[in-house]
Amino acid sequence: MVGRVESILSHHGSKSTVEKTAQVIFTVCGFFAVLAVASITLYMIVSGTPAIFKVGLGEILFGDVWQPAAKDPSFGILYIILTSIVGTFLAILIGVPIGVMTSIFLAEVAPKRLANIVRPAIELLAGIPSVIYGLLGVIILNPLMYKLELMIFKGSETHQFTGGANLISAVLVLALMILPTVINISETSLRAVPAHLKSASLALGATHIQTIFKVIVPAARSGIITAIVLGIGRAIGEAMAITLVSGSSVNIPLPFNSVRFLTTAIVAEMGYASGLHRQVLFTIGLVLFAFIMIINVSLTRILKKEADNE
Amino acid sequence: MRKFVLPLMAGMFALSLAACGSNAEETTAAAETTTTAAETEAAAEAEETTAAETEAEEEPAADVSGTLSMVGSTSMEKLANALCESFMLKYPNVTATAEFVGSGAGIEAVTNGSADIGNASRALTEDEKAAGIAENIVAIDGIAVVVDPANTVSDLTKQQLTDIYAGTVQNWSEVGGEDAPIVVVGREAGSGTRSAFEELLELEDACAYSNELDSTGAVMARVASTPGAIGYVSLDVLDDSVKALNLDGVAPTEENIKAGDYFLSRPFVMATNGPIEEQNDVVKALFDYIASDEGQEIVKSVGLITVE
């Protein structure tokens, strides 16, 4: 007895050291992400604000002339901001219905064997690097778009031909890229809907399709909204794929115009930019950062409210 | 397990795609470069030995010390920085600095003596020459205008090219080609090629681009794959995937550019106050260095044409 008690007490010192060390390591790891977010935020603000004071916030946000290397430079990014908003919105408009339908198919409709073919294909889609999407866009999408452009604007005096590098190409690539995110998360949330809801609905005489749209999808709503939020995040932050297919000229975001997004504006000109031009590129980064923050925070709010209401 | 395998497969797929992209030609080219590199190394070693042997006699040449200041053209930034860096490596006792404020300011600085060398990306004016400034051309910047290989147009005048890039001419039929729209491809703001091109055509920030791409390779690829596209690239990257146009009837070749017949080119001048022989040892050493094989390699490495 005595011996046992001693054995517990005898290593008391080293044991508590192990406990404490482990706790410190976990805490440090836990704060690593916080530190990263905090330092990125700080860095973006520090490097993005000088240009705002030099050029003027209104001038940058609401100016529609982007001539950063001219003798009398102007740094208006209004069209660039509009392109990012319109492009992301259209990509969501195309990608979300397809994504949600696919997830319903996988979770409810598909025979198991078929689902086992479709699901890996979607996971594969998620694993393809974005630059590959861009390359395929250049090789396949742009020539098709150019043919369409030639047909629609045949004989037009005012339209500037872009060779198929336009907003639609970028939107289609983005819509494809957000699919895996939307599908995976929606499917998970559809599967998490309690089985008794479905059984009750079927027992009351509703058909399978009625049950899906009236019971299961509404019950999985918050998960689907999360999927949309993450899809928006992916679409607004994507640069590599769309820089290859969008043409990258600063224009009003019309379907057949060559356009430049917030992300591609930074990528395109960082190479040789210097002085104030470079600082403005950091400001564009700050604008993009603010956008993503606003979207994340406001949508999380909406989600929380809905969860509270239920 | 599947979760692991799938991303792996995706990765391998990407790799194999990349592998397909590199063709046999590149491989041979790479092999050739390796051999040449090996040869140069051997040659360099041999040179070093001779250098070591002769060092006793030529002591002062290697022992140049002092400062060297360059002021001038922003277009010459790449060349000037590359030259300064390797020059300082070769002559550790020399401090070379370069400022980029514009050609005019560079000539001004060398005239009033505040800089040893004035960089100008244009020929000197008669007035400047009359003030005793020597025009030492160290390199020539040449730009080729390219179209897709199927285009029937093979020659443009300066006016036609200006009209196309200004957006007033939008169809190839207006410049003697087929009835097809012109897709105007260019580089992003800040690119040296873009500023040179726009400067030479007097279209600074007035070009109506429908594609602004961020690298020479992207311009080549876009022009090669888009019927009716026109683009500009520096002369050293031309290949068979695109068709280089004659301008005012002159083909974009090194010979024509050196002869001064091709208008999309400009001299890079490192101007000195009085001829090079009258300058201090550091400046003389720099010009000797530029004329040496090593210096000529640097000129080529930044995409410029050397002057014999």
Side-chain angles (χ1 to χ4, degrees), chain A residues 81-103:
Chain A
I81 294 176
L82 284 179
T83 301
S84 264
I85 295 173
V86 171
T88 307
F89 178 73
L90 291 178
I92 292 294
L93 212 61
I94 299 170
V96 166
I98 299 175
V100 173
M101 299 288 179
T102 312
S103 63

Side-chain angles (χ1 to χ4, degrees), chain A residues 13-14 17 24 39 54 63 76 92 114 127-128 152 162 164 177 203 253 267 275 277 280 298:
Chain A
S14 67
T17 321
V24 168
S39 52
K54 279 180 209 161
I92 292 294
L114 195 57
I128 294 172
I152 293 174
T162 62
M177 291 188 70
V267 174
H277 182 190
V280 173
S298 57

